[in-house]
Structure formats: structure tokens, C-alpha cells
Amino acid sequence: GLVACQGVEGANSQAACDKLLPRGNIIYVKSFDAVFAAVESGFCKFGVVPIENSSNGSVRAVYELLQDHNLSIVRTTRLCIRHELLALPGAALSDIKTVISHSQALAQCAPYLEKHGWDKREHSNTALAAKLVAESGDKSVAAIASVKTATLYGLQVLEENIHQSGSNTTRFGVFSRTENAGLGKRVGDHFILLFTTRNQAGALAKAIDIIGRHGFNMRTLRSRPRKDLLWEYYFYVELEGDLRGEEGRAMLQELEGCCDRVRVAGSFRAHCRIGEEAGL
């Protein structure tokens, strides 16, 4: 099966694909939106994108895309991310004036970059930033990317592990058109709900109370602006437990009675690879 991945060879998303879908054939696209579109159209069976980072929080663009695309998360995994400063062979730290990388990587390395006073330039992907530096021929420009990309694009590592946190971990999600793709008969231990509440006092508190009363542990709660109604929001919640049991069904029924919209956006076993189960 085809797997959509944002970036180029050497990107962190490729490493996540290799871990989650070791038998998948990767198709590289330019944006997260293109990943979602490739899966929703049926061109690719799965799409892999980052959803949150241990030091820099959620990847907002991905959560916003969940509003526009009817896809489900079917697996997640955590990947330890190492950020290295890469430059052309022969370049020295004293030569560097500008550093290029993805906005998340720049944010995760902010103290290091500020210490040196370099200009920062955002790019769509860390591996693409490394490729750009390699093609530029400019020793004053560096990229934040992985050791693998240095090897791929003929760059040297000027400094290693420049991120601010000693444990820099990014969580990646596998998205599919089918809610339990690759799950088979196994029971999911996590699930995700998207819902909108009525515009009245206590509406969100009531929804959270319903979730708690049915015994589900709320791992994540995030809000994003709705695109169809100004100054109103939808909520993304990740819960631990089996949605398919009696309590899950009862909870959904109660939520549908007090919320404007409720959608299940995935039921899955967290931090596993799906490989053979997915039929790849």
C-alpha cells in the first residue's frame, strides 16, 4: 500500500513511516494538506504526519486539517528527534549567518540560535531545508536537520544535539479513511473525539463531566477555532479506554444529546507498528 509523507527522503516523517509501516511504499508530498488529500482521495492507503512535540506542543496545522478531512488516526508512535546543525563541507561556525529549518525545529532549538544571533528562516521540512543548503553553495547558510540528511545531501555536521530539551520526542500519527484500518480484531486502548458544544454557559463542562462519569481518562483536550462560525470552537479530546464497550456507547449517546456535533476520529492501540496487520 502507498503511504503519503510530507517532505523528502531523510525527513523525520520518513523515519516514523519506517517504524509504523515498515512494508509501506512512501510517496513524498509538499504539505500536510497534501498528505490528507492523498489519503482522502484513496490514492494512498495511509498518511503519516507529526501531531505533537514534547517541548513545543501540538502541530496546529494537523489539528486544523481534521476539520476539513474525514480521516481517522489508526496508530501513533513516538520518535526521539535529534537536531543537528548542518552546513556545506568546509564551512565553520563563524561563517554562519542564516539558519533554515521547519518552524518546529527552529522553536525547539531557539536558545541555541539566539545565543549565536543568527537569522532564522522557516522552511516546510527539515530535510528539504538541508537539501536547499546543499544546493545553495553558500557557506553562510546552515540547516537544522538529522545526521541522515547530512549523509544524503553531502553536508557536514557543525554541531550535534542543539535542541533545548535533552529528551526531544515527536509523536506521529497514521491517518486512514477507515477508522480501524490495520487494527484487525484487536481492541483499541485509545480513541479520539471531535466535538462542538452549544454556545451556552457550562456546555464544555457538561461534556467533560459526561466523559469522566463513564470512566474514561482524558489524555488531551485542545480547542481550535471553527471555520464555519466566527468566534466559536471545536474540541479535540484523546481518551484512554475501549470506545466499543458498553460505557463507550453510552458516553457517545449522552454527548450527542448535549453537543452540536460529535465525531469519532480514531480508535487505536497507541505506540505500535501496524505493518502486517495493515496488509501492506
Side-chain angles (χ1 to χ4, degrees):
L2 295 179
V3 182
C5 173
Q6 189 264 343
V8 294
E9 186 180 4
N12 291 319
S13 291
Q14 184 209 343
C17 285
D18 292 342
K19 184 177 180 181
L20 284 158
L21 303 162
R23 297 172 60 191
N25 297 312
I26 298 175
I27 300 294
Y28 295 102
V29 297
K30 292 184 177 180
S31 65
F32 295 148
D33 186 65
V35 171
F36 276 64
V39 177
E40 193 166 59
S41 69
F43 179 71
C44 291
K45 185 173 183 179
F46 298 106
V48 174
V49 295
I51 54 179
E52 62 182 339
N53 177 264
S54 58
S55 61
N56 207 46
S58 62
V59 182
R60 292 183 178 181
V62 172
Y63 290 101
E64 289 173 353
L65 283 167
L66 283 170
Q67 289 188 76
D68 302 325
H69 299 274
N70 191 29
L71 300 182
S72 297
I73 298 179
V74 296
R75 281 295 187 278
T76 66
T77 193
R78 292 187 176 100
L79 196 67
C80 184
I81 305 294
R82 286 169 52 103
H83 288 316
E84 329 288 358
L85 187 70
L86 311 183
L88 290 172
L93 279 177
S94 58
D95 296 322
I96 304 304
K97 295 179 180 177
T98 303
V99 176
I100 305 172
S101 197
H102 188 272
S103 58
Q104 287 266 331
L106 292 172
Q108 291 157 24
C109 301
Y112 174 84
L113 298 176
E114 289 167 6
K115 180 181 71 175
H116 288 279
W118 294 322
D119 292 332
K120 295 176 287 187
R121 195 194 316 166
E122 291 186 9
H123 204 52
S124 58
N125 182 274
T126 56
L128 281 170
K131 186 172 184 285
L132 182 64
V133 169
E135 294 171 348
S136 72
D138 187 350
K139 290 186 178 181
S140 73
V141 180
I144 297 173
S146 67
V147 171
K148 182 176 181 179
T149 57
T151 302
L152 282 171
Y153 300 115
L155 299 175
Q156 65 166 328
V157 178
L158 284 181
E159 288 209 346
E160 300 178 342
N161 295 331
I162 63 172
H163 43 273
Q164 63 178 322
S165 172
S167 177
N168 184 36
T169 303
T170 296
R171 190 176 183 220
F172 288 82
V174 180
F175 289 79
S176 173
R177 287 191 300 171
T178 306
E179 182 186 326
N180 66 339
L183 188 63
K185 298 180 179 179
R186 300 174 69 186
V187 175
D189 57 11
H190 284 63
F191 62 94
I192 289 169
L193 300 178
L194 300 179
F195 64 89
T196 59
T197 59
R198 292 164 187 168
N199 190 12
Q200 59 190 43
L204 176 59
K206 184 176 181 180
I208 292 173
D209 178 64
I210 289 170
I211 291 169
R213 279 195 289 103
H214 287 281
F216 293 100
N217 180 45
M218 189 162 56
R219 183 189 179 277
T220 301
L221 173 65
R222 293 187 173 92
S223 65
R224 298 301 302 154
R226 288 178 62 172
K227 295 183 178 181
D228 53 345
L229 291 173
L230 195 62
W231 306 118
E232 294 198 17
Y233 296 83
Y234 83 90
F235 299 92
Y236 168 106
V237 59
E238 181 174 341
L239 303 166
E240 294 177 350
D242 175 19
L243 178 63
R244 293 175 174 81
E246 183 178 340
E247 290 292 342
R249 291 192 295 270
M251 179 195 66
L252 281 180
Q253 186 174 5
E254 281 196 59
L255 285 174
E256 287 167 355
C258 76
C259 296
D260 284 337
R261 302 178 189 174
V262 180
R263 177 166 77 86
V264 178
S267 178
F268 56 94
R269 293 188 65 83
H271 319 312
C272 302
R273 74 181 195 180
I274 58 182
E276 294 182 5
E277 289 181 0
L280 293 173

